[in-house]
Amino acid sequence: MEKVRTLLLLVLVLFTTLVAYVGAYEEEENEQRTQGEKWFLLRHLHNVVKTDAGSMRMVKGGYRWGSYLHSPMHIGFISMEPNSLFIPQYLDSDLVLFVHHGEARVGHIYRDELAERHLKQGDVYTIPAGSAFYLENGAEEQRLHIICSIDITSESMGWNAFQSYFIGGGVHPASILAGFDHNTLSTALNVSTSELKTLLTRQSSGPIVHLSSSHDHSNIWSKFLAQETHQKLAHLKRIVNFGEESSPKEEQSTWSLRKILFTLLNREDAVKRVNHEAPSTYNLYNRNPDFQNDYGWSKKLDESDYSPLRISGNGVYLVNLSSGSMMAPHVNPRAIEYGVVLKGTGRVQIVYPNGTLAMNARVREGDVFWVPRYFPFCQIASNNGSFEFFGFTTSARRNRPQFLVGQNSLMQSLRGPEFAAAFGIDQKRLETIANAQREQVILPSSSSDSPLRMDIGFY
Ligand SMILES: *[C@@H]1O[C@H](CO)[C@@H](O)[C@H](O)[C@H]1NC(C)=O
Ligand SMILES: *[C@@H]1O[C@H](CO)[C@@H](O)[C@H](O)[C@H]1NC(C)=O
Ligand SMILES: *[C@@H]1O[C@H](CO)[C@@H](O)[C@H](O)[C@H]1NC(C)=O
Ligand SMILES: *[C@@H]1O[C@H](CO)[C@@H](O)[C@H](O)[C@H]1NC(C)=O
């Protein structure tokens, strides 16, 4: 009985969704839309890191302004110029990386060994919280674009806990070294205090640096890399030992950092040390669609396909709608969903659980939207091209979206007299409505004679 009641509620939501859907067409510019966009469309990108070799920007999670809604993830965009390095750092949150363009080398500590993986376009990779890692774009000409999810953990509400080792100096995030007394540090590094000052205050040598030796040698990394290997190692040992003495709590991370730096500076050794037990990458582009019809396809990746997702507890998905098609209105009963528009334009409609329209927003490449759990929503491609979006969900378990419309939907499973009664129509009429849409999951264009429109005509 309880179940039936829940389903009844969902069906009610469905009908109000449809009504809202039509209403949305009529009042394109209403107030509600603006408010919804403020909450569910995350257009405000914050610069986390910006150097001439690259940037990391993100849309922030947290509580939406003036709302009870909590968004538990930051979505980050890392962009790196050819021949650049995102210097070793560790985060206190799990990270899921998706390579949108270009190729990368990622190194991180897996079970006390350095693991290096080559990432290519479409690859998904996870980096657990607390594991120091670096990213390198070794390509000569190609830029690297990565989209990543950063969970907001209970311990760290925000980005502030982001720790970047080694170099900072005015560029956020600051180097952990900057906190040490400069005299002690210059002794430890065996560099003059003026050299140290350069190390810690140079704006241009932020967390993402050019690696190419042809670049300006005032860049501390280029300078550093130009040194003899044994010198570098000696320096690094001192840095690392120094770090260990000063903050025993960080021992684990320092240990990792040492390994990473050694490997970075000693490539031949690195090849031998690559940890083969570490998780491999997963290519989303090569995956066969989990659903496909004439109107588009969708792919979903959960922990049963790619076990590293279990650690972060995230799912990943990719959808391609052909022009004019739509993802049928649905609800995620288990997860919060984030979407990033990769290509094309379209619309995202979100409905409050009480059945009023929350947002009906036009979206374009680069836009990020999020949909709270239990909120009905759909995505619609513009008529002039395909619409591709990628995203993360907050559950690594199989997320079974509940479709409200289409052949696999609640409309089909609940056609008894109770439901007809719930809407005050006879059963036959309900059946006609439920059967009008013959497709499922991805539905064809909404032209004037589309089944969806016909359904709405009843109301
Ligand atoms: C410090 O650097 C100087 C020259 O730069 C070198 O002669 C000396 O051996 C170094 N000391 C240590 C402990 O590495
Ligand atoms: C998405 O579908 C369109 C055709 O509808 C196709 O041209 C495009 O290559 C597809 N995108 C991907 C990533 O497969
Ligand atoms: C539905 O819920 C939203 C969000 O809580 C609220 O702003 C709106 O006024 C509600 N609408 C109705 C009709 O209750
Ligand atoms: C497609 O149409 C949308 C508006 O519906 C517009 O914003 C977008 O620029 C168009 N895209 C192309 C490639 O013409």
Side-chain angles (χ1 to χ4, degrees), residues 285 297 299 318 320-323 343 386-388:
Y285 288 160
W297 51 254
K299 301 178 181 184
L318 181 66
N320 190 1
L321 302 177
S322 60
S323 55
K343 207 170 156 205
S386 64
F387 179 44
E388 286 176 33

Side-chain angles (χ1 to χ4, degrees), residues 17-38:
T17 307
L18 292 181
V19 171
Y21 183 76
V22 159
Y25 271 105
E26 286 155 5
E27 325 166 37
E28 282 281 69
E29 305 297 333
N30 67 12
E31 281 292 295
Q32 222 173 10
R33 242 193 69 184
T34 328
Q35 186 197 46
E37 288 191 13
K38 197 166 66 194

Side-chain angles (χ1 to χ4, degrees), residues 25 40 54 77 84 146 174 191 204 273 304 330 354 418 450 458:
Y25 271 105
F40 304 109
F77 296 86
S84 62
I146 286 178
V191 294
S204 64
R273 283 200 202 194
S304 65
H330 61 289
N354 67 10
E418 305 89 347
S450 82
F458 282 101

Side-chain angles (χ1 to χ4, degrees), residues 179-356:
F180 294 117
D181 171 75
H182 285 194
N183 282 333
T184 323
L185 197 56
S186 70
T187 313
L189 286 165
N190 195 22
V191 294
S192 68
T193 42
S194 70
E195 221 174 330
L196 181 70
K197 208 165 175 183
T198 314
L199 172 77
L200 295 175
T201 59
R202 246 197 145 77
Q203 198 78 17
S204 64
S205 44
I208 303 179
V209 297
H210 290 290
L211 273 184
S212 157
S213 54
S214 65
H215 270 274
D216 171 18
H217 267 254
S218 65
N219 177 316
I220 193 76
W221 273 95
S222 306
K223 201 170 177 178
F224 193 71
L225 292 171
Q227 286 182 323
E228 292 290 326
T229 311
H230 66 269
Q231 255 182 312
K232 279 181 270 189
L233 289 179
H235 281 180
L236 284 166
K237 259 179 205 153
R238 257 173 275 119
I239 293 174
V240 171
N241 291 337
F242 186 76
E244 268 169 11
E245 278 163 29
S246 308
S247 50
K249 264 190 285 178
E250 310 255 313
E251 197 172 333
Q252 186 73 32
S253 336
T254 348
W255 175 236
S256 304
L257 176 68
R258 178 199 296 175
K259 285 194 173 172
I260 277 189
L261 292 174
F262 279 9
T263 314
L264 249 191
L265 301 167
N266 197 348
R267 293 300 169 88
E268 278 166 42
D269 197 26
V271 175
K272 276 181 250 149
R273 283 200 202 194
V274 169
N275 187 325
H276 294 289
E277 286 169 28
S280 50
T281 60
Y282 191 103
N283 195 279
L284 202 51
Y285 288 160
N286 293 343
R287 182 181 172 84
N288 288 327
D290 294 284
F291 178 84
Q292 184 166 29
N293 64 12
D294 292 346
Y295 313 108
W297 51 254
S298 71
K299 301 178 181 184
K300 284 183 159 56
L301 201 60
D302 60 41
E303 62 178 28
S304 65
D305 307 298
Y306 186 51
S307 60
L309 290 173
R310 192 170 302 141
I311 299 164
S312 66
N314 296 126
V316 174
Y317 70 89
L318 181 66
V319 173
N320 190 1
L321 302 177
S322 60
S323 55
S325 301
M326 72 185 285
M327 198 79 183
H330 61 289
V331 169
N332 284 328
R334 288 217 190 131
I336 297 167
E337 181 168 321
Y338 290 80
V340 180
V341 180
L342 299 184
K343 207 170 156 205
T345 58
R347 232 135 25 85
V348 177
Q349 295 190 3
I350 304 175
V351 170
Y352 289 119
N354 67 10
T356 49

Side-chain angles (χ1 to χ4, degrees), residues 35-48:
Q35 186 197 46
E37 288 191 13
K38 197 166 66 194
W39 288 355
F40 304 109
L41 197 58
L42 311 173
R43 273 195 173 135
H44 194 73
L45 276 169
H46 300 258
N47 268 324
V48 178

